[in-house]
Amino acid sequence: MSLKLPQGQKLLTNVSVVRMKKGKEKYEIATYPNTIIAWRTGAEKDVREVLQIDRVFRSVEQGEYAKSKDLVKSFGTEDQAAVCLEILNSGEMQLSEKERGSQQETLLKEICTMVAERCINSQSKRPVTVGVVERALAELHFNVDRNKNAKKQALEAIKLLESKYPIERLPMHLKITFPLAVSTEVREKVANIGATVDREDSSGGVYVIVCKISPDKFRDIDAVVRSYQADGALLELLQIASEHQGDAAIDSLAGLSLNSDSSATHSTSQHSPSQPAAQPGAPADSSIKAATAPGMVFASRQELAAHMKSDWHKHNLTLKSSGKPLMTKEQFVDFKIMAEDGVSMDSIGGGGKGGGKGGGGKKGKNKKEVALWD
């Protein structure tokens, strides 16, 4: 007579397994879920709250313990508690869904922070915030890899953003000192690398260049300096920050239109000088507009900031991401009134329960859509 096992039974649902391979042998220990990371970061100090049993297994699923002679051969001891601690600290974790999600969220925040620190808007030359970088990466379906370090993924994210949004790497400000005798030769090499020279000085018996370069050209500049290092060449990093410290950071995707949608605006802004920040007491700029406020001109940056926090701005962002036309201020007010009165799109289109043949009944066949965005 064959043994009948219960159907639909899920085994080891409250066990998280940590594995370690020593030579050809594999060892496992059974731990409580969501406790391994807390133990390794030092948040949990009591090992009894982490280990379900202080025994080493060959297979936790089959309940097979490891033999003492195998432990001595692999770990040099048969002490079960000591081997459990070694596997717990260095073994391969079986993460639960909650732990995996927490790790990915933390890693994504770190990547977005690195991107925001290293990038500016190429049109306005202002910094971008962590929030807008995170939303932009979500729109581009950027996937976080827990097996790669954050810096490498941040550089990949920057390349992805540069291909779709007006974002560029923050330039590095360098001060380079060379012997005066090689000034002509050095000036040509620096220009060939693509550096933007802000200032040159040869009054102190040495040739000094203050310039800006793209971060990916830093190795080339460093190689030039090293070639003259025996003659006293020196490289100093002055600044890695946005020049427009007085301007507010871009905290909305409205300030980062896709390149394909705003190529004309992008090219215009590249060839026009950047506008300085408004001085206290200066007259308000009467040409301030927002992508989410069609037909609206703001009298000041304060009004623009208030609009960015409004429900109208948020609703138009939703419409824009869905590919629908944006609402004007009057259309949005009418939309809110209809929503507060409980008037749905279905009832307006004739799709109510008593809609009859034309209304389509409950499912609303041949339903007419209301042109709220016309």
Side-chain angles (χ1 to χ4, degrees), residues 102 130 166 197 199 208 227 234 301:
S102 176
V130 176
V197 178
R199 182 168 56 86
V208 179
S227 64
L234 182 65
R301 292 187 177 274

Side-chain angles (χ1 to χ4, degrees), residues 109-137:
K109 286 287 185 184
E110 187 177 356
I111 292 171
C112 292
T113 301
M114 289 183 176
V115 173
E117 290 173 351
R118 289 166 168 80
C119 293
I120 57 174
N121 187 303
S122 59
Q123 297 176 353
S124 63
K125 304 302 180 184
R126 300 188 312 187
V128 294
T129 61
V130 176
V132 70
V133 172
E134 189 172 353
R135 293 195 294 274
L137 290 178

Side-chain angles (χ1 to χ4, degrees), residues 303-346:
E303 290 188 8
L304 176 63
H307 166 71
M308 293 298 182
K309 299 178 182 179
S310 67
D311 293 337
W312 180 29
H313 167 73
K314 297 175 183 177
H315 187 72
N316 273 345
L317 280 181
T318 304
L319 295 178
K320 187 175 181 180
S321 63
S322 303
K324 297 179 179 179
L326 305 186
M327 287 187 178
T328 63
K329 183 68 173 178
E330 294 76 13
Q331 289 171 340
F332 180 71
V333 171
D334 294 340
F335 174 79
K336 286 192 66 175
I337 294 174
M338 292 166 58
E340 291 173 358
D341 292 342
V343 180
S344 65
M345 298 287 289
D346 292 345

